[in-house]
Amino acid sequence: MPHVAEILIPLAIDTAYSYAVPAGLALAAGDVVQVPLGPRETVGVVWGVAETAGGSNLRPVTGRLGVAPLSEPLRRLVDWIARYTLAPKGSALAMVLRLPDEAAAAEVVRVGVRTTGKLPARPTKARDKVLAVAADGEIRGKSGLAKTAEVSLSVVDGLIDDGALETVALAPEPVALPPDPEFPRVPLSEAQAAAVADLVAAPAEAGGSGAVLLEGVTGSGKTEVYFEAVAECVRSGGQALILMPEIALTAQFLDRFAQRFGVRPAAWHSGIGGRRRERLRAGVAAGEVRVVVGARSALFLPFRKLGLIVVDEEHESAYKQEDGVHYHARDMAVVRAKLEGCPVVLASATPSIETRVNVERGRYRRVRLPERFGGRRLPDIQAIDMRLDKPERGRFLSPPMINAVKANLAAGEQALLFLNRRGYAPLTLCRACGHRYQCRNCSTWLVEHRFRKALVCHQCGYSERRPDACTECGTFDNLTPCGPGVERIAEEAAELFPDRRIIVLSSDFPGGAERLRMELEAVAAGECDIVIGTQLVAKGHNFPHLTLVGVLDADIGLTSGDPRAAERTFQLLQQVTGRAGRGERPGRALVQTYQPEHPVIAALLSGDSERFYEEEIAAREAAGLPPFGRLAALIVSANDRAAAEAHGQALARAAEPPDGVMVLGPAEAPLALVRGRYRFRLLVKTERNVDLQSYLRDWLARGPKVRGNVRVAIDVDPQSFL
């Protein structure tokens, strides 16, 4: 009897298309196939196969591709994401389905050399040394052979040209060696061992699945604890996934993994490309790659036997995908773990409010590490009231901060000055005419980057050279930077401490991830005296020589309208002050603030994080905000401001919110223009028991049709309100 296959195409469409299955081609759900779509061929995934009673005029499936089929849990995850985020099902599939790229650059072929037995036409002492080393017939790399023979690389090249050595192509390096769960390791502390027992026991009690919050103060050794859960997963034959918010900056983490398991794990992020990316994906699908450390996109890899998911720094906002399909990787990790029947570990020193409430409601288990590893004390945190201890005019370091850094340096210890603002200054204006430099494509000020001699938009990436004269009035020497960025703080520190080694850590410095890796290693090795950094220094790094952290503007973010502003500020300050005193010497932190009485600052200074969580959770519950209520944002954008506003108003008129639902807006977004598109926002606030997705679907069906270049993006559980 003929069969019909329902094929889902990885495009922005929400339904599967029906195709006839040719005789002799057996298809099953999950198979990746090639099908005709209009005048061209495309790929898709079989979502279902059914028998049909008679013939049909359906176009036939062209053929099945030789790639691993999508497993049932992965297909169910695609359905779940599409249903929850209201994204087209094909867009959700596009995040999962990655096919071999024929145009992808091949991996660089590794080349070795070996002796041919032929004597060189012109022997020399250096050549004789090389041939003596190569006489055993082993294949060696050119640089390794030259180093062993203590000669220059040109000597080896000369012997190749002379025919005394020959080049041999080497097999590609494996994408990842199997980790050894029994590899010798540093003994765990008593608290860590107890946490490991609790962590490993949790999924066993839950039938192999369930979410566990691994909460521990900074420096308590959470990583070593969940490494043991990874080891247990590997022992049992499963695969483990470790998600990280900043995968490009994790060289230190990969080294720690190698110390525990003898080898580095497979790394998955945007920097992995070409054939290596394809081999890694195939290794995951075949079950050969046992542990993957990756960014949020690694969540969609086709694991053959996924046995554990770890979400490190689960509170990080970087886990939220803001473009395309709006999803939160932490939440989707919990969903995938449930679909796969495996445990998920959420690790953080400052858990999100949502995770803490899930623990209180009994949905998640909690494993705690209340003390630092080795009995080390948490840093002593003190406030510097900037209303009383003002910096000199045009400066940003207060006298107490300067004195503390001086004392720290005199003791031979490192200091970190933290400011969560990139560049030199967030605004440049002309003192003569008042002109402010703004992005041509966005409603944001251009940030001066003095090291690059450029004014840069941090929204769209637009940049222009910093002019010598005002482009508005033409006067010279009147452009003034307003406010500090890390580059300006580095300039001030260099003037105050001229003989000290200073490293600036910022994600937008030239050199990219490789430069950051080298600089982070230099800080950890004690090769600098003062570190000046943005929020990337707060994310899990271990600097054993760092004993003083100075927070230069603790009030950033506290005055915004973001309902998560207090939570994010507390988490960031707690994390960055926790970088101090992780080595043998005790640490301390100084916090420059104009609001020492603010609840967030007061909780930080007291060291009583539980007080902050209690107060913040109570405030959220009273306001009906997540996780006690639900939010969704509709962002209407267009190239024309009037068109965007008109469509937003028409949407609002069609809202018809029932009981328990409130629709606010449309209002011009705080960032009203981004990448040349004008933006208006509507916010939906509902009670917890309301079916938000069903309401949104009904509303959009009633609402005006999208025409022209108008676009409506839906963000369920928004993290950003800009």
Side-chain angles (χ1 to χ4, degrees):
M1 186 173 289
H3 287 77
V4 172
E6 299 299 319
I7 310 294
L8 186 62
I9 310 295
L11 299 174
I13 51 179
D14 203 37
T15 58
Y17 291 161
S18 298
Y19 288 87
V21 180
L25 179 62
L27 292 181
D31 284 343
V32 182
V33 296
Q34 189 169 4
V35 294
L37 184 67
R40 62 188 178 91
E41 293 281 328
T42 189
V43 297
V45 177
V46 178
W47 230 246
V49 180
E51 293 183 350
T52 180
S56 71
N57 59 354
L58 295 176
R59 302 176 76 179
V61 175
T62 305
R64 181 173 53 229
L65 300 183
V67 297
L70 264 62
S71 65
E72 181 187 0
L74 204 48
R75 299 196 307 275
R76 291 169 63 195
L77 180 66
V78 169
D79 288 335
W80 201 98
I81 290 175
R83 185 169 58 252
Y84 189 85
T85 66
L86 274 76
K89 193 180 295 186
S91 297
L93 176 64
M95 300 190 300
V96 173
L97 186 62
R98 293 289 186 271
L99 296 175
D101 184 359
E102 299 297 335
E107 290 184 75
V108 176
V109 177
R110 298 190 305 142
V111 176
V113 293
R114 65 184 174 191
T115 182
T116 62
K118 177 184 174 182
L119 295 176
R122 187 174 57 83
T124 64
K125 289 184 178 180
R127 289 185 168 190
D128 290 344
K129 290 168 68 176
V130 173
L131 293 175
V133 174
D136 57 9
E138 289 188 13
I139 300 175
R140 294 178 172 83
K142 287 199 305 182
S143 58
L145 178 58
K147 184 176 181 180
T148 303
E150 298 179 339
V151 300
S152 67
L153 198 59
S154 62
V155 177
V156 177
D157 289 332
L159 286 169
I160 295 172
D161 295 338
D162 215 2
L165 294 176
E166 64 177 353
T167 58
V168 181
L170 303 177
E173 291 182 340
V175 290
L177 295 172
D180 180 8
E182 312 307 330
F183 193 78
R185 60 185 186 275
V186 177
L188 300 175
S189 69
E190 186 176 332
Q192 286 177 315
V196 168
D198 198 1
L199 192 63
V200 172
E205 295 173 6
S209 63
V212 183
L213 168 62
L214 176 58
E215 182 179 358
V217 298
T218 55
S220 59
K222 295 181 293 297
T223 303
E224 285 71 22
V225 170
Y226 71 64
F227 275 172
E228 297 311 306
V230 171
E232 188 63 28
C233 173
V234 173
R235 285 190 196 99
S236 63
Q239 295 169 285
L241 168 63
I242 303 174
L243 293 178
M244 306 199 76
E246 295 284 351
I247 187 63
L249 308 176
T250 54
Q252 191 179 70
F253 175 86
L254 299 179
D255 289 340
R256 291 173 70 180
F257 187 95
Q259 291 170 6
R260 170 59 186 87
F261 294 97
V263 297
R264 284 188 164 202
W268 178 271
H269 54 86
S270 58
I272 305 295
R275 299 287 185 246
R276 182 175 180 83
R277 190 176 182 90
E278 293 176 13
R279 290 202 297 124
L280 176 53
R281 185 178 180 85
V284 169
E288 298 167 358
V289 176
R290 304 298 299 280
V291 181
V292 176
V293 174
R296 57 178 179 249
S297 61
L299 181 64
F300 306 112
L301 285 171
F303 289 94
R304 184 182 184 90
K305 189 179 179 182
L306 187 57
L308 173 69
I309 301 176
V310 177
V311 184
D312 200 13
E313 307 290 357
E314 64 87 26
H315 64 278
E316 276 289 342
S317 59
Y319 283 122
K320 181 64 186 280
Q321 170 70 37
E322 299 285 0
D323 296 322
V325 180
H326 293 248
Y327 71 92
H328 200 299
R330 177 200 63 215
D331 299 338
M332 296 306 106
V334 174
V335 173
R336 181 162 192 189
K338 184 175 181 180
L339 295 174
E340 297 277 1
C342 73
V344 57
V345 176
L346 310 176
S348 177
T350 53
S352 63
I353 297 295
E354 286 84 354
T355 298
R356 283 291 299 262
V357 171
N358 277 325
V359 169
E360 293 179 3
R361 290 173 171 173
R363 294 175 178 169
Y364 299 170
R365 284 194 46 160
R366 185 186 188 190
V367 176
R368 293 197 65 199
L369 287 167
E371 298 178 355
R372 280 188 161 183
F373 179 79
R376 297 184 180 96
R377 291 190 296 112
L378 288 168
D380 177 50
I381 305 176
Q382 298 176 335
I384 297 176
D385 192 335
M386 297 292 280
R387 298 169 297 187
L388 305 176
D389 292 301
K390 299 180 180 179
E392 294 181 12
R393 185 176 181 84
R395 300 287 188 176
F396 303 95
L397 298 181
S398 64
M401 185 71 75
I402 295 172
N403 293 334
V405 173
K406 286 180 178 178
N408 216 62
L409 297 176
E413 301 170 1
Q414 284 178 329
L416 165 64
L417 298 177
F418 171 77
L419 178 65
N420 197 25
R421 189 180 285 137
R422 294 176 288 161
Y424 185 85
L427 169 65
T428 298
L429 62 80
C430 176
R431 289 176 296 181
C433 68
H435 175 65
R436 302 183 179 196
Y437 284 82
Q438 185 173 339
C439 178
R440 296 179 180 178
N441 308 313
C442 309
S443 54
T444 57
W445 307 125
L446 292 176
V447 178
E448 180 180 353
H449 286 252
R450 187 153 294 188
F451 294 167
R452 295 159 55 183
K453 298 181 180 179
L455 301 175
V456 180
C457 174
H458 286 175
Q459 290 298 319
C460 70
Y462 168 80
S463 67
E464 61 184 54
R465 184 174 177 81
R466 185 184 187 277
D468 296 321
C470 176
T471 54
E472 189 72 15
C473 67
T475 60
F476 285 84
D477 300 325
N478 274 316
L479 296 183
T480 301
C482 299
V486 287
E487 294 178 16
R488 197 169 190 179
I489 299 303
E491 183 179 86
E492 183 175 341
E495 294 176 6
L496 290 168
F497 314 105
D499 300 325
R500 295 296 183 170
R501 300 164 297 176
I502 299 174
I503 283 183
V504 181
L505 296 177
S506 180
S507 59
D508 53 9
F509 266 42
E514 180 60 22
R515 174 176 174 171
L516 278 174
R517 182 189 64 79
M518 295 174 62
E519 290 180 336
L520 288 167
E521 289 178 354
V523 175
E527 296 174 4
C528 73
D529 302 305
I530 300 174
V531 184
I532 299 171
T534 60
Q535 64 178 350
L536 68 86
V537 301
K539 298 179 180 179
H541 303 297
N542 185 32
F543 303 136
H545 306 282
L546 184 66
T547 57
L548 173 67
V549 170
V551 178
L552 301 190
D553 191 349
D555 305 326
I556 291 180
L558 287 177
T559 56
S560 74
D562 188 336
R564 292 186 175 87
E567 176 189 4
R568 286 178 176 158
T569 301
F570 176 79
Q571 289 167 339
L572 182 59
L573 296 182
Q574 186 88 323
Q575 292 276 347
V576 74
T577 54
R579 299 308 106 194
R582 295 166 73 96
E584 298 300 324
R585 300 180 182 181
R588 63 173 178 146
L590 297 177
V591 179
Q592 291 188 170
T593 175
Y594 288 92
Q595 308 175 71
E597 69 285 347
H598 192 284
V600 170
I601 305 298
L604 180 72
L605 298 175
S606 69
D608 187 1
S609 60
E610 290 301 314
R611 186 180 80 175
F612 168 77
Y613 279 107
E614 290 173 4
E615 294 177 354
E616 184 67 11
I617 288 173
R620 294 271 190 96
E621 187 171 18
L625 290 172
F628 301 98
R630 303 193 63 194
L631 295 176
L634 277 68
I635 302 96
V636 181
S637 66
N639 295 340
D640 178 70
R641 185 183 185 281
E645 184 176 17
H647 192 89
Q649 290 174 345
L651 267 178
R653 288 193 295 270
E656 301 177 10
D659 291 342
V661 177
M662 180 187 300
V663 176
L664 306 173
E668 195 169 49
L671 289 180
L673 179 67
V674 175
R675 296 180 178 89
R677 295 184 66 83
Y678 295 89
R679 305 164 72 244
F680 283 80
R681 292 175 59 94
L682 295 99
L683 187 67
V684 182
K685 181 175 179 289
T686 76
E687 297 175 358
R688 185 69 194 176
N689 58 355
V690 171
D691 187 345
L692 174 61
Q693 280 77 7
S694 293
Y695 168 71
L696 290 174
R697 288 190 188 91
D698 292 343
W699 177 17
L700 292 173
R702 292 192 307 271
K705 303 301 179 185
V706 173
R707 291 183 174 85
N709 57 49
V710 174
R711 298 289 181 270
V712 179
I714 304 169
D715 187 0
V716 178
D717 303 332
Q719 298 290 308
S720 171
F721 291 82
L722 297 177

